[in-house]
């Protein structure tokens, strides 16, 4: 069901809500496993980053495949009402502003609210937070579902504004890069902006080197993997995030 006859003022909010719901439900599994202390959320979410594209590929290669896609399977193009506009002919779209708004809300919430204080306490020492009466499991589940929902909205914006249809190469490692950005920033809102810009530069340089010098993009992946190991070792030398 694609709702081709809905106006944009109704279709785009509907896509946003569905994107948030899909991302939140996808994050619910790792959140429940983390709350039950079965699987570390770092491991489960990183591994699921490889599962989600395969599910999308199933639909692109199967029931949602466009008859005009040829050798490169993809879904039919979205109707005009389902496309987010861009600014001045660039690739910048309202999804970028939405991300900045969410980051601002996050920064204020973490510093100025009781919920943010509880989140920082849990990040520092979950066991001590539990003994102080903080609902650790509930807080972790809500936080992870909110984060998953925001990621779902980001994916919706990417598809709607940039791709205009579902494609197999929708996410070339965005989840992995997002993880590195969050860890290197240490949860600081300004740090997230700085680290995101840094990794955007690294990723862009990798594309340029691949085109002009024939350098395998795997070199950039190795660099990011090395950064991951350094970050994990620095954050928690005893093994894993709590």
């Amino acid at each position: 069901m694609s709702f081709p006859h809905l106006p944009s003022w109704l279709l785009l909010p509907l896509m946003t809500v569905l994107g948030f719901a899909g991302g939140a439900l996808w994050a619910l599994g790792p959140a429940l496993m983390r709350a039950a202390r079965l699987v570390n959320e770092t491991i489960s979410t990183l591994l699921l980053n490889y599962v989600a594209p395969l599910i999308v590929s199933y639909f692109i290669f199967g029931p949602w495949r466009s008859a005009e896609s040829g050798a490169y399977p993809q879904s039919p193009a979205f109707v005009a009402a389902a496309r987010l506009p861009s600014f001045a002919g660039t690739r910048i779209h309202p999804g970028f502003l939405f991300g900045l708004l969410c980051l601002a809300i996050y920064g204020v919430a973490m510093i100025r609210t009781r919920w943010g204080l509880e989140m920082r306490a849990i990040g520092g020492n979950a066991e001590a937070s539990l003994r102080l009466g903080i609902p650790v499991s509930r807080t972790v589940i809500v936080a992870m579902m909110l984060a998953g929902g925001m990621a779902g909205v980001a994916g919706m914006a990417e598809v709607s504004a940039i791709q205009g249809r579902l494609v197999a190469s929708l996410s070339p490692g965005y989840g992995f890069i997002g993880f590195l950005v969050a860890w290197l920033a240490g949860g600081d809102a300004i740090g997230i902006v700085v680290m995101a810009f840094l990794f955007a530069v690294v990723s862009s340089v990798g594309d340029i080197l691949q085109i002009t010098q024939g350098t395998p993009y795997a070199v950039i992946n190795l660099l990011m993997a090395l950064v991951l190991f350094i970050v994990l070792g620095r954050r928690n030398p005893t093994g894993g995030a709590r």
Side-chain angles (χ1 to χ4, degrees), residues 210-231:
Q210 187 177 20
I211 295 172
T212 61
Q213 305 298 324
T215 304
Y217 194 81
V219 173
I220 302 300
N221 290 334
L222 288 173
L223 174 61
M224 292 184 179
L226 178 62
V227 173
L228 170 62
F229 281 115
I230 294 174
V231 170

Side-chain angles (χ1 to χ4, degrees), residues 119-162:
M119 282 295 300
R120 287 184 281 123
I122 292 172
N125 192 318
E127 189 65 32
S129 300
L130 184 63
R131 294 180 181 275
L132 289 173
I134 297 176
V136 174
S137 295
R138 185 181 66 189
T139 304
V140 167
I141 291 173
V142 171
M144 291 187 66
M145 291 187 69
L146 285 175
M150 292 299 102
V153 173
M156 183 281 298
E158 170 73 13
V159 172
S160 174
I162 305 299

Side-chain angles (χ1 to χ4, degrees), residues 103 181 184-185 188-201:
L103 184 61
V181 167
L184 285 174
D188 179 71
I190 302 299
I192 290 174
V193 175
V194 174
M195 290 298 109
F197 178 79
L198 173 64
F199 276 96
V201 171

